[in-house]
Amino acid sequence: QVQLQESGPGLVKPSETLSLTCSVSGNSVITDNYYWSWIRQPPGKGLEWIGYISYSGSTNYNPSLRSRLTISVDTSKNQFSLRLRSVTAADTAVYYCARVDITIFGVLNLIDFWGQGTLVTVSS
Amino acid sequence: QSALTQPPSASGSPGQSVTISCTGTSNDVGGYNYVSWYQQHPGKAPKLMIYEVTKRPSGVPDRFSGSKSGNTASLTVSGLQTEDEADYYCISYVGTNNLVFGGGTKLTVL
């Protein structure tokens, strides 16, 4: 069974960098069948797509976050990570890591496995 | 890309049917058959309920069904049960190798 688990600080100060890691078990991140993604959900609000990475390091980011965002992958640890710079209170959210299924044509299809989510609060 | 449009809320009594819509454009919902639906209970991660517009993953009750017409996809829950009360989100492929999310619909079972 595939499992994803987010880890990282639950409190980040404004203007600092939010860093989270997603540990994947039950599936190698080295695969052409899936992308590895981050999604967030501000308290009481809807889901927001952050971006994704392939095992080879190709990325695609939400344009609204692109200037502050880096997603990376560590195949040796079967993990991928998120770094969001210069955070503000608007970045307070539950952050999910998830697996995105890709069709044989390379099209993003569905999100089939999610981590449990981790709440990150931006506050001084 | 703009978010997909969902009604903020929907409701129905136990045993009834309810349909939740998800409206996009010809660049996303209308252009591809890669629309999926997710159920989210409070404090939990979303769960895949429907994919590729109409398909159900193993383990999802057949009370849940999906369809699409033009730029609007729909999720229908038949024979409503109390455990169906949750938030529901649609997601569509949008080209440029990206996904676009709906704003979510809160389903209340009266």
Side-chain angles (χ1 to χ4, degrees):
Chain A
Q1 176 74 338
V2 178
Q3 291 187 318
L4 297 93
Q5 177 69 58
E6 306 88 352
S7 60
L11 181 63
V12 181
K13 290 183 168 55
S15 80
E16 296 191 344
T17 296
L18 182 161
S19 296
L20 294 173
T21 295
C22 182
S23 298
V24 181
S25 59
N27 189 179
S28 171
V29 297
I30 303 175
T31 172
D32 289 321
N33 298 322
Y34 305 104
Y35 289 148
W36 305 96
S37 69
W38 291 97
I39 296 156
R40 71 181 182 179
Q41 185 171 35
K45 296 188 179 180
L47 301 169
E48 180 183 21
W49 181 241
I50 296 175
Y52 65 80
I53 190 166
S54 71
Y55 80 91
S56 63
S58 298
T59 55
N60 197 330
Y61 297 157
N62 183 323
S64 69
L65 299 171
R66 183 176 294 142
S67 63
R68 301 190 290 130
L69 180 62
T70 301
I71 298 177
S72 59
V73 64
D74 186 336
T75 56
S76 67
K77 294 182 179 178
N78 219 41
Q79 295 175 337
F80 60 104
S81 299
L82 164 76
R83 284 174 55 85
L84 186 64
R85 297 174 290 278
S86 304
V87 297
T88 70
D91 295 309
T92 293
V94 174
Y95 285 75
Y96 293 100
C97 60
R99 189 180 83 169
V100 182
D101 177 83
I102 312 167
T103 72
I104 58 173
F105 306 108
V107 170
L108 280 72
N109 187 4
L110 55 90
I111 303 172
D112 55 0
F113 287 97
W114 300 67
Q116 65 185 28
T118 186
L119 175 62
V120 179
T121 301
V122 178
S123 175
S124 54
Chain B
Q1 58 273 6
S2 300
L4 305 176
T5 301
Q6 296 182 235
S9 62
S11 63
S13 300
Q16 289 185 333
S17 293
V18 65
T19 297
I20 298 170
S21 62
C22 169
T23 301
T25 69
S26 58
N27 294 322
D28 39 63
V29 174
Y32 306 95
N33 287 323
Y34 295 113
V35 177
S36 50
W37 289 90
Y38 301 80
Q39 177 191 66
Q40 186 181 35
H41 287 111
K44 300 294 187 181
K47 173 188 175 184
L48 178 67
M49 304 300 284
I50 296 287
Y51 67 100
E52 292 177 14
V53 179
T54 62
K55 298 178 181 178
R56 261 190 326 274
S58 152
V60 173
D62 60 6
R63 303 184 293 102
F64 290 85
S65 62
S67 62
K68 189 181 84 168
S69 177
N71 297 334
T72 298
S74 298
L75 172 72
T76 298
V77 186
S78 306
L80 269 175
Q81 298 184 5
T82 55
E83 60 261 35
D84 299 333
E85 184 162 297
D87 294 328
Y88 290 84
Y89 294 90
C90 60
I91 299 177
S92 174
Y93 180 70
V94 68
T96 64
N97 228 13
N98 226 324
L99 296 175
V100 61
F101 286 40
T105 298
K106 181 177 181 60
L107 174 60
T108 301
V109 181
L110 302 170

